[in-house]
Amino acid sequence: MTTRSASPKREQAPKRRAADVAYDAIEAMISTLQLQPGSPVVEAEIVDSTGLGRTPVREALLRMVSIGLIAQQPRRGLLVSHIDLADHLDVIQTRRVLERLIASCAARRATAPQRQAIVRCAEKMVEAAARSHLDDYMQADHELDVVVHQACQNHSAVKCVQPLIVQCRRFWYAYQHEGEVSEGARAHMHLAQGIATGDEAQAVAGAEQLMEYLERFARRIIDR
């Protein structure tokens, strides 16, 4: 009796939870300053703007309260947390440790399609930087983070680094006139190439280069 070999199945990305989709949508509003620091966060307005249900939006907002991106104040409801200049260097210092770990894990564990996608995202960042198109640059940056975080397979590190990334992004948006996007794009490309080739040392060096760039940028703002 002959057996018919099973045809290979195309790997499909798992369906995302509605609360995770809501979290990403609200995160984008905060990091790009559509929701300004100190401004009220109205659940009904978020539901209308995202087209998502109240339950996933509420879950996402509570998650943001728990990590400090949104503050819950008596009689004032939910407010976007303020940018704390004094604390920002500590944010970068903590993120530096996590980004080095994530880069190392991604260089070891990424699949071939993930390695290709990571380089494509970095190329999009370089191209957007050449056009000085900040929104495209930051969108590609977010896409790169998503793939790298999936590739590293270190859920604990990703969970810890995500709120720090949002704080760095909105700091960057708030003071973008002080930054040089081409320098940031080069650092991301260095990181991406290290992951793509499986070179842990280069990937970690790329993450370090990126954190150095963010620290220099932050110090220009804080010390002026």
Side-chain angles (χ1 to χ4, degrees):
M1 179 174 125
T2 60
T3 58
R4 185 172 57 186
S5 60
S7 59
K9 295 182 179 179
R10 181 177 296 178
E11 185 178 344
Q12 295 182 345
K15 185 177 180 180
R16 302 187 68 215
R17 296 171 59 246
D20 293 334
V21 175
Y23 181 92
D24 284 351
I26 301 167
E27 175 195 293
M29 294 178 191
I30 292 175
S31 62
T32 61
L33 303 181
Q34 295 176 56
L35 289 174
Q36 291 281 337
S39 65
V41 180
V42 182
E43 182 182 299
E45 293 179 357
I46 300 293
V47 169
D48 289 342
S49 64
T50 62
L52 298 168
R54 285 185 175 274
T55 299
V57 167
R58 184 171 298 141
E59 182 178 336
L61 290 174
L62 289 174
R63 179 178 162 194
M64 290 190 160
V65 170
S66 70
I67 60 178
L69 292 175
I70 292 177
Q72 191 168 23
Q73 298 190 353
R75 296 183 298 279
R76 297 187 64 190
L78 301 179
L79 302 175
V80 178
S81 62
H82 288 279
I83 296 174
D84 188 338
L85 291 180
D87 182 58
H88 195 68
L89 290 177
D90 288 341
V91 169
I92 295 173
Q93 183 180 37
T94 305
R95 184 181 170 188
R96 185 191 300 268
V97 176
L98 293 167
E99 291 287 4
R100 288 170 60 94
L101 173 60
I102 289 169
S104 178
C105 290
R108 290 199 314 272
R109 299 171 177 173
T111 64
Q114 287 171 334
R115 295 179 197 275
Q116 294 170 358
I118 286 167
V119 172
R120 283 197 300 270
C121 290
E123 288 172 344
K124 287 167 64 176
M125 293 186 72
V126 171
E127 192 272 334
R131 293 187 289 112
S132 298
H133 198 296
L134 184 62
D135 288 340
D136 285 355
Y137 177 88
M138 297 302 278
Q139 177 61 34
D141 181 31
H142 175 70
E143 292 171 1
L144 177 60
D145 285 340
V146 170
V147 184
V148 170
H149 291 171
Q150 292 171 346
C152 82
Q153 300 178 46
N154 187 325
H155 303 299
S156 296
V158 169
K159 184 178 179 180
C160 291
V161 82
Q162 284 176 332
L164 305 179
I165 290 174
V166 178
Q167 292 187 51
C168 288
R169 278 207 181 106
R170 68 173 182 156
F171 186 94
W172 210 97
Y173 257 93
Y175 302 102
Q176 58 187 267
H177 56 284
E178 300 282 349
E180 177 52 62
V181 291
S182 60
E183 183 181 354
R186 287 193 297 270
H188 282 91
M189 180 57 77
H190 191 181
L191 167 67
Q193 289 173 338
I195 295 173
T197 58
D199 186 335
E200 286 187 58
Q202 180 179 341
V204 171
E208 184 69 25
Q209 182 180 340
L210 176 59
M211 293 301 103
E212 287 291 335
Y213 161 68
L214 292 179
E215 182 172 338
R216 286 195 302 273
F217 170 76
R219 287 190 184 280
R220 283 200 298 270
I221 305 300
I222 294 168
D223 295 342
R224 68 185 181 184

